[in-house]
Amino acid sequence: MAVESSVLLKWYSETARDLPWRREGVSAWQILMSEIMLQQTPVVRVTPIWEEWVERWPVPSAMAASSQAEVLRAWGKLGYPRRALRLHECAGVLAAEHGDVVPEDVDTLLSLPGIGSYTARAVACFAYGQRVPVVDTNVRRVVARAVHGNAEPGNPSNTRDLADVAALLPRTRARAATYSAALMELGALICTARTPNCANCPLPNCAWVASGKPAHTGPPKKVQKFAGTDRQVRGKLMAVLRESHRPVERAQLDIVWPTDPGQRDRALHSLLVDGLVEQTDDGLFALAGEGTP
């Protein structure tokens, strides 16, 4: 069973969200920034930060000229700040080796720092209209239900997942690129994980609905918690350093998580290992790039 392209494209043209990175005149670099930011982060949190970044760093060389710390500070509370460091590194390569332009083809995109399979294909598709399969969590869920009749997708498989979506793409390049966006939109708005809105789904046929919506039979999905985790502690430590424009004493970091010093020490060590934080010769702590005189 296929996900009918004409029906899905019509639905998308009528209901697609007006997201700023989908508008006319947005460059491939700006789309790349949006894709990096949107990984594991909701649209509502990304939009204002992305708009600030487009204004501040309209081309890769502008970001490359800024320090790591400036980029980390501007990243704010988007989470997973290693993404910001890798994007800064990527900007330097684009400026130095690609004429300040994001490449069009997937293989070259994959050679850039911090660019994985999904991001490379997303940029090729959404920035340049390439006919390439783009697979995220939402797309995997739509395909699992509409095509395979499963309530949830199985474990990710790059080869299988890409082949599944490639088989659905319309033949023409322009329609294929829009179709990829529409598949994502369907998963984000209608075919959601917890409460799929099947009554308003535009697809006339869905293998999962046709088989009576069988329940997921695999192991339950792990719910990612945040409170009390090392991620939360790392975020609190990073907040102290973002708010200071000079290295801080260890005591200023210790007070953000006094209940479990061992966990706090572990979180700080991981930030140092990840290159997000630096320690000065005299034992102070700073964001990457700000610990060296």
Side-chain angles (χ1 to χ4, degrees):
M1 187 176 294
V3 181
E4 294 86 342
S5 61
S6 59
V7 173
L8 186 59
L9 289 171
K10 182 176 184 296
W11 170 82
Y12 182 72
S13 69
E14 295 171 349
T15 63
R17 291 170 292 178
D18 179 24
L19 303 179
W21 41 85
R22 289 177 176 171
R23 296 170 187 166
E24 292 293 327
V26 177
S27 70
W29 163 245
Q30 293 161 359
I31 288 174
L32 172 59
M33 287 197 295
S34 75
E35 290 295 343
I36 296 296
M37 289 179 171
L38 287 164
Q39 293 168 14
Q40 299 176 291
T41 308
V43 166
V44 67
R45 290 178 58 199
V46 166
T47 300
I49 304 297
W50 180 84
E51 289 174 338
E52 291 174 8
W53 281 40
V54 167
E55 185 73 22
R56 184 173 183 178
W57 295 305
V59 293
S61 57
M63 178 177 287
S66 297
S67 68
Q68 292 175 308
E70 287 178 278
V71 174
L72 285 171
R73 196 165 276 116
W75 186 259
K77 298 181 180 180
L78 286 182
Y80 302 101
R82 279 179 292 181
R83 292 180 290 170
L85 275 190
R86 297 293 277 166
L87 186 58
H88 180 266
E89 184 182 358
C90 181
V93 173
L94 291 172
E97 301 177 17
H98 296 276
D100 229 16
V101 175
V102 175
E104 292 189 33
D105 66 286
V106 171
D107 288 340
T108 307
L109 286 162
L110 285 169
S111 72
L112 297 172
I115 306 302
S117 176
Y118 165 77
T119 305
R121 287 173 171 79
V123 171
C125 176
F126 303 137
Y128 294 112
Q130 301 274 16
R131 187 183 180 277
V132 294
V134 184
V135 182
D136 70 350
T137 301
N138 288 321
V139 170
R140 292 184 68 245
R141 186 169 56 252
V142 170
V143 172
R145 291 172 179 169
V147 178
H148 299 300
N150 299 320
E152 297 291 339
N155 293 327
S157 166
N158 206 39
T159 301
R160 183 194 65 231
D161 294 339
L162 290 174
D164 274 350
V165 176
L168 299 174
L169 293 178
R171 291 186 179 277
T172 63
R173 177 168 158 162
R175 284 171 63 85
T178 305
Y179 182 85
S180 290
L183 271 181
M184 285 189 184
E185 194 80 341
L186 186 66
L189 300 183
I190 301 294
C191 196
T192 56
R194 295 183 180 179
T195 54
N197 186 4
C198 296
N200 289 318
C201 179
L203 302 181
N205 299 296
C206 171
W208 183 55
V209 172
S211 58
K213 297 183 181 180
H216 178 56
T217 56
K221 294 176 67 176
K222 292 183 179 180
V223 178
Q224 283 191 331
K225 65 176 184 176
F226 180 72
T229 63
D230 285 4
R231 276 187 58 217
Q232 184 183 22
V233 183
R234 281 166 58 103
K236 288 182 174 292
L237 295 171
M238 287 291 290
V240 172
L241 298 175
R242 283 198 309 271
E243 291 164 9
S244 174
H245 287 268
R246 59 175 58 89
V248 305
E249 295 182 353
R250 176 63 183 263
Q252 291 177 256
L253 298 176
D254 287 347
I255 60 175
V256 305
W257 199 259
T259 56
D260 190 339
Q263 184 181 28
R264 184 190 62 226
D265 293 348
R266 182 173 66 245
L268 179 58
H269 177 72
S270 71
L271 290 172
L272 290 164
V273 170
D274 288 345
L276 293 163
V277 173
E278 297 177 352
Q279 188 170 16
T280 67
D281 292 340
D282 53 355
L284 303 179
F285 295 86
L287 289 178
E290 288 188 335
T292 304

